[in-house]
Amino acid sequence: SACGAIVTGIDLSRELSGDLTAELRSHWLKNKVLIFPDQNLNVTQLVAFSRCFGEIGEDPFFGHIDENENVAAIQRNAEEKTPIFAEVFHSDWSFLPIPPAGTILYGIKIPPVGGNTLFANQVMAYESLPRGMRDRADQLVAIHSAALGYAPDGAYGEKDRENGRSMRIYFDEKARETYEHPLVRTHHETGEKALYSSAAYIQGFAGLEKQESDKLLSELYAHQGKDEFVYSHSWRKNMLVMWDNRSVLHAATGGYDGYERLLYRTTIADHQF
């Protein structure tokens, strides 16, 4: 696949040595997505594993589960009719001054059909750009904002709550704040360049008129999500998946109407962009 590696032979409920943590980090940075099947974790163990890779990061618009303030529930009830959460390719919380390094999901209740998570390798996407477009991309600065999703009139705003979404999402006027990041991001651990563009959060490009920005973004989004860059991940119960937000985009898929779905999520903070 374009990214992703399966890791077996490790019990993540136990304390990891420094050497093993370093080895896992190396595999994570190289493969961008790590999949750990058949892990039996409680929330304390999930948080402890997450902390092996950095401090727990901020989740600006999510509530946490009752048992632990560092864990959010990505959930959908069986009878729920709201749109699937996070169906657009994105990098988590890219509108923050220092967005998170990674995200971890752990499968609690997994439907028998549907619900794959798509991962798009943005190092490959950048490297395969035509030379002229790549040169232009290197010069662009994108304006990121959470407004489309988390403002009161956003996709997960007042109307969405009234429609009965089960996830704890807290919309806020704060979502309209903006922050600028280069379109091409150099990974501070690997040195790789990747497209850092997210249809969920980018409003346009600094210094460009809206029409020109929209046209360019449309071209970029079509390129970033090409099949040759995408790994489609199929979930199982007790499976843990961690990914690098600095080098891949991800998107949820549906196809499990009538079934409950629940995953626990932690966020790994970064210390620089």
Side-chain angles (χ1 to χ4, degrees), residues 39-59:
Q39 299 293 328
N40 291 296
L41 304 176
N42 60 37
V43 291
T44 301
Q45 292 163 339
L46 173 61
V47 172
F49 171 75
S50 304
R51 285 193 167 123
C52 290
F53 298 90
E55 296 177 3
I56 300 298
E58 177 186 2
D59 283 324

Side-chain angles (χ1 to χ4, degrees), residues 9-255:
I10 300 175
D11 181 357
L12 301 185
S13 70
R14 306 178 70 174
E15 184 177 353
L16 303 185
S17 69
D19 287 345
L20 180 54
T21 298
E23 183 178 356
L24 288 175
R25 190 176 196 93
S26 177
H27 289 309
W28 180 47
L29 294 174
K30 177 182 177 181
N31 294 287
K32 300 166 178 52
V33 182
L34 292 186
I35 301 112
F36 300 83
D38 303 320
Q39 299 293 328
N40 291 296
L41 304 176
N42 60 37
V43 291
T44 301
Q45 292 163 339
L46 173 61
V47 172
F49 171 75
S50 304
R51 285 193 167 123
C52 290
F53 298 90
E55 296 177 3
I56 300 298
E58 177 186 2
D59 283 324
F61 302 102
F62 286 172
H64 56 77
I65 64 173
D66 295 337
E67 298 93 326
N68 195 297
E69 64 180 6
N70 295 305
V71 179
I74 307 300
Q75 68 184 84
R76 184 177 173 85
N77 293 336
E79 70 279 3
E80 194 166 328
K81 301 301 181 184
T82 61
I84 297 297
F85 177 73
E87 280 189 299
V88 176
F89 271 125
H90 63 286
S91 178
D92 283 332
W93 310 142
S94 68
F95 50 83
L96 294 176
I98 302 181
T103 303
I104 292 175
L105 284 182
Y106 178 60
I108 305 295
K109 296 179 181 179
I110 304 299
V113 293
N116 279 21
T117 301
L118 307 180
F119 296 98
N121 185 331
Q122 295 306 290
V123 175
M124 292 178 65
Y126 171 75
E127 292 175 348
S128 67
L129 280 172
R131 181 59 182 271
M133 194 171 183
R134 192 191 314 167
D135 289 344
R136 188 176 190 197
D138 284 332
Q139 306 302 315
L140 291 171
V141 174
I143 304 167
H144 295 248
S145 168
L148 287 177
Y150 301 102
D153 57 352
Y156 308 115
E158 293 175 356
K159 288 184 178 180
D160 188 64
R161 178 180 292 179
E162 291 169 1
N163 289 335
R165 186 172 297 277
S166 54
M167 274 185 64
R168 294 182 180 179
I169 298 177
Y170 302 121
F171 54 85
D172 196 290
E173 287 292 341
K174 173 183 174 182
R176 304 192 194 280
E177 297 175 359
T178 62
Y179 202 89
E180 296 183 358
H181 292 300
L183 174 64
V184 177
R185 177 174 189 170
T186 300
H187 197 299
H188 66 79
E189 293 188 73
T190 68
E192 293 180 313
K193 287 188 173 183
L195 290 175
Y196 195 64
S197 174
S198 170
Y201 298 132
I202 289 185
Q203 293 188 331
F205 294 111
L208 297 186
E209 296 293 333
K210 185 178 186 307
Q211 184 175 358
E212 185 178 6
S213 280
D214 289 350
K215 181 177 183 298
L216 188 53
L217 284 169
S218 180
E219 294 172 1
L220 280 168
Y221 297 151
H223 175 76
Q224 289 176 282
K226 286 182 178 177
D227 288 344
E228 56 261 41
F229 309 143
V230 174
Y231 160 58
S232 179
H233 177 71
S234 179
W235 285 90
R236 296 200 303 269
K237 184 180 178 181
N238 293 343
M239 177 178 277
L240 182 144
V241 177
M242 62 183 296
W243 64 88
D244 189 335
N245 278 299
R246 301 162 294 189
S247 55
V248 296
L249 301 179
H250 63 283
T253 66

